[in-house]
Amino acid sequence: MTGRLDTLRARPQIIECYEPNRTAHLSISALERRFTKHLGQTPKQFINEVRLKNARRLLIETNESIANIAQETGFNDHSYFSRQFQRLFGKSPSQFRREHCTH
């Protein structure tokens, strides 16, 4: 399962929740149960967390707009991205950038 998780981390913006089940030869529900049992979160939660952590890195390392970072990390809805970012990190993307960005 570790190799599959590395794949998810490497391509978080294009992975769909149902894709890994084809590689693991499991039904979607069986994959979700195993995933939740071993990682304590659903595949969708895991993928969103990876995407948000990637967005956090981009907010610090680039001058890219927040809307572009949201799009680049797989969030088509800027408002949804901002809400999810706030939920995970306790700050809005713009607030996080102001506090952590030096450029």
Side-chain angles (χ1 to χ4, degrees):
M1 192 161 199
T2 302
R4 291 182 190 95
L5 294 178
D6 291 338
T7 299
L8 291 172
R9 286 187 182 102
R11 304 181 327 161
Q13 69 277 18
I14 59 173
I15 297 282
E16 295 292 330
C17 286
Y18 61 84
E19 186 177 307
N21 74 309
R22 286 183 249 158
T23 311
H25 305 290
L26 297 169
S27 70
I28 292 171
S29 59
L31 175 67
E32 287 178 347
R33 282 191 305 276
R34 287 185 185 188
F35 208 96
T36 302
K37 177 182 176 185
H38 292 287
L39 296 176
Q41 58 190 153
T42 67
K44 183 175 182 175
Q45 290 168 330
F46 175 83
I47 291 167
N48 275 343
E49 187 173 313
V50 170
R51 288 175 172 166
L52 290 164
K53 286 179 179 178
N54 190 35
R56 178 181 61 182
R57 181 185 57 78
L58 292 172
L59 285 167
I60 294 169
E61 296 176 358
T62 72
N63 289 320
E64 198 70 38
S65 73
I66 292 171
N68 284 349
I69 288 173
Q71 192 77 32
E72 191 175 318
T73 55
F75 293 91
N76 296 324
D77 182 341
H78 179 268
S79 296
Y80 178 72
F81 166 73
S82 293
R83 285 191 309 273
Q84 293 302 304
F85 192 95
Q86 173 106 26
R87 181 191 55 76
L88 185 61
F89 300 116
K91 300 174 185 179
S92 70
S94 56
Q95 182 182 11
F96 180 86
R97 179 175 260 174
R98 276 193 305 276
E99 293 177 6
H100 294 89
C101 190
T102 59
H103 45 87

